[in-house]
Amino acid sequence: MNIDKKDLVLVRDSQKILDTELESKRIGYYQDSWNRFKKNKGAFYAFIIICVVLFFVVFGPYMRGYTLKADAPIEAARLGNLVPKVPGLEKLGFFDGTKKIEAGKQFLLDMNSNDFGKDIIISGLPQELIDNPDHPDYEDVTKLEVVVNHYRYTNYVSSYKPERYYSIVKQNEINQTDDDPLAEVKRTLTQEEFDEELKKNSVIDILQILETDNPADPEKPFFQYVVRLNQFKSTLGVNDPSDVYFWFGTTDEGGDLFTELWLGARISLIMALAVVSINSLVGLILGSLVGYYGGAFDLIMDRLVEIIVSIPFLSVLILLTLRYGNSLIVIIVAFTLTGWVGMYKTGRMQFYRFKNREYVFAARTLGASDARIMFKHIFPNTLGLIVTGLALSIPFFVFTEASYSFLGIIEYANATSVGMLINKGQAVMMHHPHLLLFPSAYISILMIAFNLFGNGLRDAFNPSLRGVE
């Protein structure tokens, strides 16, 4: 078939046709990892929770508005085991500083009729009993359950009349003894201390004045005052106990549990970061070298690791603490002596797995050095598993350290750990559940958050998922 060349006409002869320019922006490996991490809602919310926890670890110990007397542990202990009370939430009916107690009839009636005990009992005390306490129907009543403002109640018991007052009086009658029923609330003050309390207007009443001779000046005898003080005003400087807020309650020593918890968490996390950093540095360096080069070095390290793994960690911990004490450095050394083995195995396995891949052969053919191949080509492919291991190592250490503190194997001399708080809390959990609730909740939330966070990082840093929606 013959076609005339004149019939062949070029289409768009005057217009250039070019490839369409890509509209998407070029992103790097880490930006792509961050984008994928944000799409994992569980991991992202876990990251936010971890940030909140870290905020309280750093600033929580400085958020308390009350300073207990460090040099007066007895005074502070009289404010022990207060229930949680949070501003705002108290109006909703929980964490409102109220507690149900069981007390004797006469004690409750006296507390309710005393000006200092005003507004302590919230509910549970029958009006008929208040109006007629000698009614025959109430003769057999020995104890009553009532809901009280626990802060005012504690102030009343520690300042005015102990809860055991009537039982001591009764025992004196039975045993013909003269034990002082007010001994628990009496304070013996020197003249200087008495004058200082007067400035604070915290003296309730003077029970006795003790006068002794002054050898230096007989005309100026020494005076001591036996008094009853307003405990909250004397210890915390607060006029009204209802104005005091301990968000997590107080410990049996009178310390603020909110502050104690974050101080213990700070110690645990600082030690966790130190242990994880040392274990990761030692383990990854050795593991990457052994996995990449192999040979005799691999055989020697395998035998060494087998020996180290066969040593029980608990034995190492106990021997070190018995010999060198429970200082923070000793605990860190105990966790790092054998702790690097896990990261060593991870690094060795990953580098051995990827060192014979095609892209590694290509890089080696093009003249790339071993260091460049290890850190530019192999390390990014192992980063997901390594980061996951690091993220999970922190809660593992916190949980392990708390467990041994709970069991009494680790006992810090001048510091508090979360495990020690849980140990104290479980002993009194039936009467003061808040002492166990908050430290346990912290451990649980931290473990769950770090697990979700670690899983999210593993998926985000997986190079095989790059560009996958």
Side-chain angles (χ1 to χ4, degrees):
M1 182 177 180
N2 296 323
I3 300 176
D4 191 352
K5 293 181 179 181
K6 296 179 180 180
D7 295 333
L8 298 177
V9 181
L10 294 175
V11 179
R12 297 180 181 178
D13 186 26
S14 61
Q15 182 180 0
K16 293 183 179 180
I17 301 177
L18 303 175
D19 292 335
T20 304
E21 185 178 356
L22 293 175
E23 296 181 357
S24 61
K25 293 182 180 180
R26 180 182 178 183
I27 60 175
Y29 169 71
Y30 295 104
Q31 180 64 42
D32 180 68
S33 299
W34 170 245
N35 292 339
R36 275 186 279 117
F37 178 78
K38 289 190 297 183
K39 294 177 181 179
N40 188 331
K41 298 301 182 183
F44 188 72
Y45 291 141
F47 173 69
I48 295 176
I49 292 174
I50 292 173
C51 290
V52 172
V53 170
L54 292 177
F55 172 82
F56 282 109
V57 166
V58 176
F59 299 104
Y62 309 109
M63 297 173 66
R64 186 181 69 180
Y66 312 103
T67 303
L68 299 177
K69 292 182 178 179
D71 58 342
I74 297 178
E75 296 289 324
R78 290 190 173 106
L79 302 182
N81 299 320
L82 290 171
V83 297
K85 186 179 178 184
V86 182
L89 295 181
E90 58 179 339
K91 298 180 181 179
L92 302 178
F94 55 94
F95 291 158
D96 55 357
T98 63
K99 185 178 183 179
K100 181 179 288 188
I101 66 166
E102 186 181 78
K105 178 185 73 172
Q106 191 59 49
F107 174 80
L108 292 174
L109 290 173
D110 287 355
M111 181 172 63
N112 191 63
S113 61
N114 190 287
D115 290 338
F116 191 63
K118 185 179 180 181
D119 298 329
I120 291 179
I121 301 177
I122 297 175
S123 63
L125 189 62
Q127 185 63 40
E128 297 84 356
L129 177 59
I130 299 174
D131 296 336
N132 189 7
D134 297 324
H135 192 280
D137 292 344
Y138 299 111
E139 288 182 358
D140 298 330
V141 175
T142 56
K143 288 185 178 295
L144 293 170
E145 280 192 351
V146 296
V147 177
V148 298
N149 181 325
H150 197 238
Y151 286 59
R152 287 184 175 275
Y153 169 78
T154 300
N155 193 31
Y156 180 84
V157 171
S158 61
S159 306
Y160 185 73
K161 183 177 289 186
E163 196 172 22
R164 300 190 307 117
Y165 177 87
Y166 291 103
S167 63
I168 294 175
V169 172
K170 186 175 182 179
Q171 288 298 320
N172 284 340
E173 294 175 356
I174 297 174
N175 302 327
Q176 298 298 312
T177 55
D178 58 351
D179 294 338
D180 188 356
L182 295 177
E184 296 178 22
V185 301
K186 285 183 177 180
R187 316 289 196 276
T188 301
L189 306 178
T190 64
Q191 182 70 55
E192 293 77 10
E193 292 171 335
F194 181 76
D195 294 339
E196 185 65 27
E197 292 294 342
L198 282 179
K199 294 178 182 179
K200 297 190 294 185
N201 192 28
S202 58
V203 176
I204 297 173
D205 57 346
I206 300 174
L207 301 178
Q208 188 179 1
I209 300 177
L210 305 176
E211 180 179 346
T212 57
D213 294 334
N214 183 355
D217 188 353
E219 296 183 359
K220 295 182 179 180
F222 291 123
F223 287 98
Q224 283 186 314
Y225 297 83
V226 181
V227 301
R228 292 189 291 199
L229 300 176
N230 183 320
Q231 181 67 51
F232 270 75
K233 188 165 186 180
S234 176
T235 306
L236 300 180
V238 179
N239 289 321
D240 190 348
S242 295
D243 295 334
V244 178
Y245 292 90
F246 287 108
W247 296 350
F248 289 176
T250 61
T251 64
D252 55 346
E253 296 90 357
D256 180 26
L257 182 59
F258 181 85
T259 302
E260 298 285 342
L261 176 60
W262 298 123
L263 285 174
R266 177 187 293 180
I267 293 174
S268 298
L269 288 178
I270 290 175
M271 293 177 63
L273 292 175
V275 169
V276 170
S277 299
I278 296 173
N279 288 341
S280 301
L281 185 64
V282 175
L284 285 178
I285 291 177
L286 291 177
S288 60
L289 293 175
V290 170
Y292 185 79
Y293 290 107
F297 187 32
D298 189 9
L299 293 175
I300 295 173
M301 285 301 302
D302 276 353
R303 301 294 80 76
L304 176 62
V305 168
E306 287 177 2
I307 295 173
I308 293 176
V309 170
S310 65
I311 302 174
F313 168 73
L314 185 57
S315 301
V316 175
L317 179 62
I318 292 176
L319 289 175
L320 286 176
T321 53
L322 287 177
R323 176 61 180 85
Y324 300 104
N326 281 277
S327 65
L328 302 184
I329 298 298
V330 173
I331 303 302
I332 291 175
V333 170
F335 275 90
T336 54
L337 281 178
T338 59
W340 60 270
V341 173
M343 195 56 67
Y344 162 82
K345 291 182 177 180
T346 300
R348 176 184 178 276
M349 177 187 67
Q350 292 298 92
F351 274 77
Y352 184 83
R353 173 187 176 188
F354 290 106
K355 72 176 183 179
N356 293 323
R357 293 295 176 91
E358 291 80 1
Y359 56 84
V360 175
F361 286 145
R364 188 177 292 115
T365 302
L366 294 173
S369 64
D370 288 342
R372 180 176 177 81
I373 291 173
M374 292 174 68
F375 293 103
K376 181 68 175 179
H377 299 285
I378 299 180
F379 183 72
N381 287 278
T382 67
L383 195 58
L385 191 59
I386 291 174
V387 169
T388 303
L390 292 176
L392 297 180
S393 295
I394 294 177
F396 173 77
F397 171 85
V398 172
F399 184 76
T400 304
E401 186 268 345
S403 299
Y404 288 127
S405 297
F406 173 79
L407 296 173
I409 298 174
I410 298 177
E411 293 184 4
Y412 304 114
N414 300 316
T416 301
S417 71
V418 179
M420 295 168 67
L421 293 176
I422 295 177
N423 184 19
K424 294 179 181 179
Q426 67 87 28
V428 294
M429 60 182 294
M430 298 301 295
H431 303 287
H432 311 291
H434 69 279
L435 295 178
L436 178 64
L437 172 64
F438 292 104
S440 301
Y442 161 77
I443 291 289
S444 302
I445 292 173
L446 193 70
M447 293 290 292
I448 294 173
F450 265 104
N451 273 278
L452 293 175
F453 179 62
N455 291 333
L457 289 179
R458 178 195 60 198
D459 295 337
F461 284 106
N462 189 345
S464 64
L465 296 178
R466 186 172 184 181
V468 177
E469 295 296 335

